[in-house]
């Protein structure tokens, strides 16, 4: 009882199929050409910082609209002395136009090595042991500690000027000055840490902390679905005063790990004949015959939320004395008394794009649904439910009126595939058209 297609109908179907295929091929070719143009055709070459390291050695002031003494310098790194891909150059230029009072400095690998040799000989063996992006991850910590200012990855898009961020950070600090900077604020746009907040009450004051560090978070979707957490802090953005104690703690923590590993050569010359530790003493180095663990491939890479928590615990332990020695106890209290704060910005301010090309997003949500509901009232369960709801609706880009910047997540270090590049180029166009540059603060 089936009906067979006539010869004309078969011919018509064949023509339509071929036409559709041809249009698809043309679309892919045009999109690929467009992507290649955006990716490789940077209209202005980036000037690198070779032989001008001293240009940022003396910060040239800070924004006078706030009390935050954040130097007006932005640090960028790129592995080679050639220009980065076109879209990165375009976003960098956009940030420069919005923040003309800032000095933008670009370092390549040779610059970073020269900087470390000049200023941080005590960490040089560890620095030289690292390669590629892992070396650059350590370098950004050194730059932020030494100069302060802003370090940010090249794939940040600026929607508003940095002064808007500074004003917001100062506002957060002042709003908490009557009760102390709580270790974890309930403010929806922040996650602020400060030691000893439960045992210390400040009177109302307009004086900001001596040391301020602002960091950003990975998308909540990544944290919940990939790492089973509600909070992941990555090293893609630092805004800080010079010499923030957290950076020194982090460097010394990794140095101690390095000296205990098989990568460390005990015969390597050390500054003042000893190795530096976070407590100001020397680090015991095992004999050459001892079996040592391997050093991590990327000790400064990935997330640092655990390090931030460990840092506050370290400060708390030293504040209560932790030693029978009166002199050491005095040193601990003096060290802990340093006024410092770390502010983690929520993603509605520093908005990170969700990596929607990652198939684990959908598969993780499917596994979550299959496993059944989590305990009622669980923070992680609530977050996972909302994230999966967003994933089902393809809501990967959710800016708000408070959005200052967007982290485009280009993953340049992973290389580029044509299909992924075409998709991302469309996403970038959406971001830039939705959030055009503006000098107005929210």
């Amino acid at each position: 009882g089936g009906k067979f297609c006539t010869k004309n109908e078969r011919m018509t179907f064949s023509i339509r199929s071929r036409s559709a295929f041809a249009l698809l091929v043309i679309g892919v070719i045009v999109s690929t050409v467009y992507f290649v143009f955006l990716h490789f055709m940077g209209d202005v070459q980036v000037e690198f910082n070779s032989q001008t390291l001293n240009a940022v050695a003396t910060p040239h002031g800070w924004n006078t609209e706030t009390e935050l003494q954040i130097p007006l310098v932005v640090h960028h790194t790129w592995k080679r002395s050639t220009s980065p891909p076109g879209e990165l150059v375009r976003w960098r230029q956009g940030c420069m136009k919005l923040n003309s009072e800032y000095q933008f400095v670009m370092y390549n690998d040779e610059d970073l090595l020269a900087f470390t040799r000049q200023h941080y000989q005590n960490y040089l063996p560890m620095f030289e042991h690292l390669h590629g992006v892992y070396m650059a991850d350590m370098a950004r910590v050194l730059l932020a500690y030494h100069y302060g200012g802003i370090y940010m990855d090249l794939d940040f898009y600026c929607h508003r000027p940095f002064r808007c961020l500074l004003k917001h950070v100062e506002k957060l600090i002042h709003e908490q000055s009557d009760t102390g900077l709580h270790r974890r604020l309930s403010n929806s746009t922040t996650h602020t840490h400060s030691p000893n907040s439960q045992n210390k009450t400040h009177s109302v004051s307009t004086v900001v902390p001596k040391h301020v560090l602002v960091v950003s978070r990975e998308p909540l979707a990544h944290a919940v679905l990939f790492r089973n957490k509600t909070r992941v802090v990555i090293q893609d953005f630092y805004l800080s005063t010079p010499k923030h104690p957290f950076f020194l703690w982090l460097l010394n923590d990794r140095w101690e790990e390095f000296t205990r590993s098989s990568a460390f050569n005990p015969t390597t010359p050390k500054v003042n004949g000893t190795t530096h530790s976070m407590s100001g003493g020397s680090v015991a180095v095992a004999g050459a015959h001892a079996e040592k663990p391997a050093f991590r491939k990327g000790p400064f890479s990935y997330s640092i939320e655990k390090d931030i928590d460990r840092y506050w615990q370290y400060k708390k332990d030293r504040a209560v004395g932790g030693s029978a020695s009166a002199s050491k106890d005095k040193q601990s209290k003096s060290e802990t008394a340093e006024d410092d704060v770390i502010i983690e910005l929520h993603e509605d301010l520093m908005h990170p794009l969700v990596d929607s090309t990652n198939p684990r997003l959908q598969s993780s949500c499917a596994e979550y649904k299959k496993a059944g509901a989590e305990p009622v009232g669980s923070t992680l369960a609530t977050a996972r439910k909302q994230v999966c709801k967003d994933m089902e609706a393809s809501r990967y880009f959710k800016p708000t009126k408070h959005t200052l910047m967007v982290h485009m997540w280009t993953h340049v270090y992973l290389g580029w595939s044509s299909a992924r590049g075409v998709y991302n180029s469309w996403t970038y166009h959406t971001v830039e058209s939705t959030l055009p540059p503006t000098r107005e603060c929210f």
Side-chain angles (χ1 to χ4, degrees):
K3 181 180 178 181
F4 293 97
C5 294
T6 64
K7 183 177 181 180
N8 288 339
E9 287 175 330
R10 288 197 299 270
M11 185 176 295
T12 300
F13 177 77
S14 177
I15 293 174
R16 288 178 178 174
S17 299
R18 291 176 181 177
S19 298
F21 180 75
L23 289 173
L24 177 62
V25 171
I26 292 173
V28 171
I29 293 174
V30 170
S31 298
T32 302
V33 171
Y34 174 68
F35 155 68
V36 171
F37 175 79
L38 288 180
H39 185 63
F40 293 103
M41 300 300 289
D43 50 350
V44 176
Q45 290 291 305
V46 173
E47 291 186 6
F48 278 83
N49 194 46
S50 299
Q51 300 180 2
T52 59
L53 282 169
N54 290 328
V56 293
T58 305
H60 62 286
W62 43 79
N63 189 303
T64 57
E65 296 180 45
T66 72
E67 299 175 66
L68 300 173
Q69 297 185 5
I70 309 292
L72 299 176
V73 60
V74 178
H75 308 284
H76 281 135
T77 62
W78 184 246
K79 52 190 172 183
R80 295 182 294 269
S81 58
T82 56
S83 179
E87 70 276 2
L88 302 185
V89 174
R90 184 174 73 253
W91 299 332
R92 184 175 190 263
Q93 290 173 337
C95 291
M96 294 172 73
K97 289 178 181 178
L98 276 179
N99 303 280
S100 57
E101 71 275 24
Y102 280 76
Q103 177 187 20
F104 282 71
V105 186
M106 180 77 81
Y107 307 83
N108 62 25
D109 286 358
E110 293 181 359
D111 296 325
L112 297 174
L113 179 58
F115 165 78
T116 306
R117 285 175 174 168
Q118 179 180 349
H119 297 290
Y120 294 99
Q121 279 281 336
N122 51 325
Y123 299 122
L124 189 60
M126 178 167 58
F127 187 84
E128 292 181 328
H129 176 76
L130 303 174
H131 301 283
V133 67
Y134 303 118
M135 180 266 288
D137 288 340
M138 177 179 173
R140 68 185 64 178
V141 176
L142 290 171
L143 291 171
Y145 175 70
H146 190 81
Y147 295 120
I150 295 174
Y151 166 83
M152 64 182 189
D153 286 354
L154 281 167
D155 55 355
F156 268 93
Y157 170 77
C158 293
H159 173 49
R160 302 182 191 275
F162 297 142
R163 61 179 173 81
C164 299
L165 173 58
L166 292 175
K167 288 182 177 180
H168 183 71
V169 169
E170 185 178 54
K171 180 182 177 182
L172 291 175
I173 293 173
H174 285 175
E175 286 177 347
Q176 295 297 320
S177 63
D178 58 337
T179 57
L181 287 167
H182 295 289
R183 190 167 186 270
R184 295 196 174 185
L185 290 180
S186 59
N187 187 304
S188 63
T189 60
T190 62
H191 186 96
T192 303
H193 291 269
S194 185
N196 310 317
S197 58
Q198 295 179 350
N199 303 319
K200 188 175 181 180
T201 300
H202 299 276
S203 59
V204 177
S205 171
T206 58
V207 178
V208 299
K210 178 182 178 180
H211 299 290
V212 176
L213 171 61
V214 178
V215 294
S216 64
R217 292 185 186 177
E218 199 166 334
L220 181 62
H222 293 185
V224 170
L225 300 180
F226 299 163
R227 307 197 189 194
N228 210 38
K229 300 178 179 180
T230 57
R231 160 188 170 243
V232 172
V233 181
I234 50 175
Q235 300 186 78
D236 55 10
F237 181 91
Y238 291 135
L239 181 147
S240 71
T241 50
K243 304 298 188 292
H244 194 288
F246 170 72
F247 290 128
L248 183 61
W249 177 90
L250 184 64
L251 287 163
N252 288 333
D253 179 75
R254 299 303 191 265
W255 174 253
E256 290 189 5
E257 180 184 342
F258 178 69
T259 59
R260 292 193 297 265
S261 74
S262 57
F264 179 68
N265 182 357
T267 62
T268 301
K270 297 177 284 296
V271 176
N272 298 325
T274 187
T275 53
H276 188 54
S277 76
M278 71 178 80
S279 60
S282 61
V283 178
V285 179
H289 63 280
E291 184 177 348
K292 301 179 182 179
F295 191 50
R296 278 187 285 172
K297 187 176 182 180
F300 292 90
S301 306
Y302 312 113
S303 62
I304 58 170
E305 68 279 354
K306 287 184 178 180
D307 292 307
I308 292 174
D309 293 341
R310 288 176 57 222
Y311 171 69
W312 292 126
Q313 185 61 48
Y314 160 74
K315 298 267 285 187
K316 181 179 179 180
D317 291 345
R318 294 186 71 80
V320 297
S323 171
S325 168
S327 59
K328 187 172 183 179
D329 183 58
K330 183 177 180 181
Q331 178 188 2
S332 300
K333 290 182 179 179
S334 173
E335 200 172 286
T336 310
E338 285 196 278
D339 192 14
D340 62 315
V341 64
I342 299 175
I343 300 177
E344 299 176 28
L345 294 177
H346 192 270
E347 59 184 277
D348 64 341
L349 287 167
M350 304 290 287
H351 189 56
L353 290 181
V354 174
D355 185 9
S356 54
T357 62
N358 194 320
R360 290 173 58 198
L361 288 175
Q362 300 300 338
S363 62
S364 296
C365 284
E367 292 174 3
Y368 158 68
K369 287 186 175 181
K370 185 177 180 180
E374 295 179 75
V376 177
S378 165
T379 302
L380 183 61
T382 302
R384 200 191 313 272
K385 183 177 180 180
Q386 180 58 53
V387 162
C388 288
K389 187 176 179 180
D390 288 338
M391 296 303 99
E392 290 175 359
S394 298
R395 288 193 291 264
Y396 306 119
F397 174 48
K398 302 191 302 177
T400 71
K401 65 179 182 179
H402 298 130
T403 299
L404 298 164
M405 303 172 70
V406 178
H407 190 195
M408 298 292 209
W409 282 85
T410 60
H411 296 301
V412 169
Y413 62 93
L414 295 178
W416 288 82
S417 66
S418 178
R420 181 172 184 162
V422 170
Y423 173 83
N424 284 343
S425 293
W426 177 257
T427 303
Y428 303 152
H429 172 73
T430 300
V431 172
E432 293 175 68
S433 59
T434 305
L435 299 174
T438 176
R439 297 188 181 278
E440 298 294 324
C441 297
F442 54 84

